[in-house]
Amino acid sequence: MAGIFLFEKISENFVIFFLTKGQKQYIMLALANKERKAYIQEGNEGMNDLTPSLEDYLEAILVTSLRRKVVRVKDIVRLLNVKTASVVGAMKTLAQKGLVAHERYGYIELTHQGVAVASEIYDRHKTLYRFLREVLDVDAETAAKDACRIEHHIGKKTTERMVKFIKFIETCPEGGPLWLSSFHHYAKTGSRPEHCAKREEATGQKVIPRSSPLSSLKVGSKGRVVQITGDQGIKRRLLDMGIVPGTEVKVEKAAPLGDPIDVVLKGYHLSLRRQEASAVTVEVIE
Amino acid sequence: MKREIKVALAGNPNSGKTTVFNNLTGSHQHVGNWPGVTVEKKEGKFTYQGTEVTVIDLPGTYSLSAYSLDERIARDFLLHETPDVVVVIIDASNLERNLYLLCHLLELGTNVVLDLNMMDVVENQGIKIDTSKLSRILNVPVIETVANKNEGMEGLKVAIVTAAENKRSPTFKIDYGKVIEEGITELSELLKDKALPRGYTLRWVAVKLLEADPEILENVESLPQAQQIQKAALECSARLERRLGYDLETALVERRYGLLEGLVRECTERHLGVERRHEISDQIDRVVTNKLLGIPIFLGLMWLSFQLVFTVGSPLAGLIDSFFGWLGDTTSGALEAIGSPGWFSSLLAEGVISGVGSVLVFLPNILLLFLIIAILEDSGYMARAAFVMDRIMHALGLHGKSFIPMILGFGCNIPGIMATRTLKSEKDRILTILVNPLMSCSARLPIYVLFAGTFFPERQGLVVFSLYLMGIVLAILVARLFKSIFFKHEVAPLIMELPPYRLPQARGVLIHMWERGSLFLKKAGTIIAGGVVLIWLLAYFPLHAEYASAQSLIGKLGSFVAPLLKPAGFGFPQAAVALIFGILAKEVVVGTLGTLYSAEGVALKAALLQHFTPLSAYAFMVMSLIYIPCLAAIATIKRETNWKWTGLAVGYSLILGWVVAVLIYQIGRLL
């Protein structure tokens, strides 16, 4: 049962919710609705004064360009479900801002600056999605939709804090008397309170929910490395190859006879037998 | 004044290290083995503005921990031979993981030049690397190169020579974070006044102690107060681990990668672009390692390689063979014409010339084999072959890559054994070598054809097939047995990079082929030629005895051995002599029987029918399959391992062959 048990306005712009779900406590940041407008302006400083819809367009171009060789107006129309005329209009505005080079034949290309701005927006989007999906356990569809809505209204600082917050929850999931202040300390210094590590040891409880051995991940799914166990030599080999806590790994495919598997991490392919992969505990992302 | 400096090349596998090496040294290279092991060691030279530079190509490694043979070799070399400069060659399109090795070298206090290779790929991916920033932060010279287009090599040479002059040790430190740094400081304090082994830096030893590096722990034992240091290291690690919530080994590696991640982010700019190479590579993989197509494609490629090595190679080998046959005949004819003694012309013709010929006859197959292997390796397919086949080979206690040597063994065991060079682990390599002679090579086929045709004319195919199958089954059993005896506790994990596909460079492939081929000629050649001369001596002496007749030494040896073969059903001197000659080369068995029975073709078959029963004929074929690898194979095994393993290969196959032949004959008689 989830329920809000505390509700505090910590500044002009923020409201904080404390939630409980089962044994776990989560906090949630939200914007006080009234203050939204004021915040947008503050948060978007140096962001070329983009409207939310322009940001959506930039993001859409970036995402498409990651998957395809060229981006066409048609692609954006389809992706965002808007009219061609609106896309063309938006591209003009973005071109004026120096973010997009809109060429003939309906091809769109981001400028260097455009890539920078778009990546920042996209990163924010991903972080927000993770926050909603993993911390609040919102279903994937809602998380994606809501992440889109929030993303235009939140600045760099807040994003960074959110990433830290997610990390903090991962390592110190159970609250303590000074939980929030511990987080603040962590956000500033990066060091966690001692009891977090201790408790992990004492209870032997897996800190991260939904963790499983890498060997049992399905083909196509992604995970983040939590810990590596196993034989000295094998463990060291895995670590040296970049399988360190926090690394994102994707099970790309399995060999024709089911073993070994091909895992993508840090931009390269690594093949391991399931036996070796079982030494790696991952937190399932998707 | 001529200066001489020593430079080592270090880098990940597939970083283009060998191409850089080839570019730097051209044809001035020498291939040998690292002392005590069969890992190739390449050395070369170039001169730049009066400085003579010796370049040593270290084995490709991902790190310098002491767990794998290659890493130990690289690490020992760096620690003990102290090269003036170490060039770290990096696949710039995969910066983060490639830089990890650099971390270790910097920690070791090496004078480093960083070579960002494959810059063309980086450009195609739309990534921009801020080289000067990278150089500034790491405080090492950074050079950009495209080795396979021979670009940037001059710059690299300048950087090497300059770095050797400056002789500076790196200032860059990995910040392990407050908690771990405290531990490092603590241990450094403790080690401060001790004479550290081999001039390691304080910090490096401290870090390695925290990592519980087995070699350093051992080294520390020789220090005064060793116990105190070890105890302090243990306590310190335990304390740190409690505070970190991770084990220290993980924490240290994570820190390094964390730092690299930041460094890479800081120094690269990703433009909008498509990762074209990776995309193409992934698409190829979708087909090549496909669930349904993966194995057929692999087998198809193997078939193709097999065809190339043997179908293209064998006519060439035949030409060489007949050339040496002609040379022998002409020489002995010419010698007799000028009245030289018979033993001399026989020694020259049947001994020396045929000895040299029997070495060179393998050359076409060997060169073709290495050509294909070099292409498979350089293109990146070899790793996929291992990926596809590992499941099966692992069940046999071998590695995925062992499959290729086994397949090649069906053609000829020599290339099969040579192909085990692609295996990284000692255990896998030795096991694969030991069982390779059980793969029935093509030289044994003439024996099967003769005997099966004579005794089982209606079931020839089935009989021959049963022999091939028996070889495979025995190979599996023997591999498992030897694994449990000799390598009980060894684990050879499969943790293998699947590198992006690349177009092999003709030059690199050819150099590779020639190097390995000439190694075969030099090392195996001497043993083969020597063995041929020895057998000639046995067959020729004592004087006045007819060549290889019952009165010759070999004939006497045959009569001596024959009773031992009785339980197998063919206990007569002719069979024994044929088998002894068969050690020269298995196909010689048929010819020898022909000589001994003074019959050929139909007459030979008739002679065989008098001496053998179908059962003893089958036992004889089994014996020919299993007993002692041919001389060339023995020489190659010696070349690739040592006398101990060679002795085992000869010994076990002889015993196994005899036992199986006897079992078949005796059980067959009961039925």
Side-chain angles (χ1 to χ4, degrees), chain A residues 88-107:
Chain A
V88 174
M91 288 310 117
K92 258 189 202 150
T93 321
L94 288 172
Q96 276 163 14
K97 289 179 186 292
L99 300 175
V100 155
H102 185 39
E103 302 290 345
R104 278 163 300 167
Y105 311 118
Y107 290 137

Side-chain angles (χ1 to χ4, degrees), chain B residues 12-17 19 90-94 97-98 117-118 120-121 148 277-278 280-281 284 374-381 384 497-505:
Chain B
N12 285 184
N14 312 306
S15 59
K17 194 162 61 72
T19 317
I90 272 178
D91 173 0
S93 66
N94 187 0
R97 205 214 53 227
N98 272 265
N117 195 18
M118 309 199 184
D120 55 337
V121 181
N148 55 16
R277 184 176 62 147
H278 288 288
I280 292 173
S281 198
I284 297 175
I375 292 171
L376 289 179
E377 275 190 327
D378 290 3
S379 65
Y381 182 74
R384 272 72 182 186
E497 185 186 357
L498 297 173
Y501 288 98
R502 287 186 190 122
L503 212 59
Q505 299 301 120

Side-chain angles (χ1 to χ4, degrees), chain A residues 17-50:
Chain A
F17 296 99
F18 283 76
L19 301 168
T20 53
K21 193 188 169 219
Q23 291 282 306
K24 288 174 184 134
Q25 301 170 359
Y26 291 119
I27 66 168
M28 176 190 171
L29 292 163
L31 298 167
N33 211 24
K34 279 194 276 180
E35 317 295 339
R36 231 172 146 179
K37 249 190 180 154
Y39 177 70
I40 292 164
Q41 262 150 29
E42 195 189 310
N44 282 349
E45 256 174 21
M47 290 286 291
N48 300 296
D49 300 315
L50 294 172

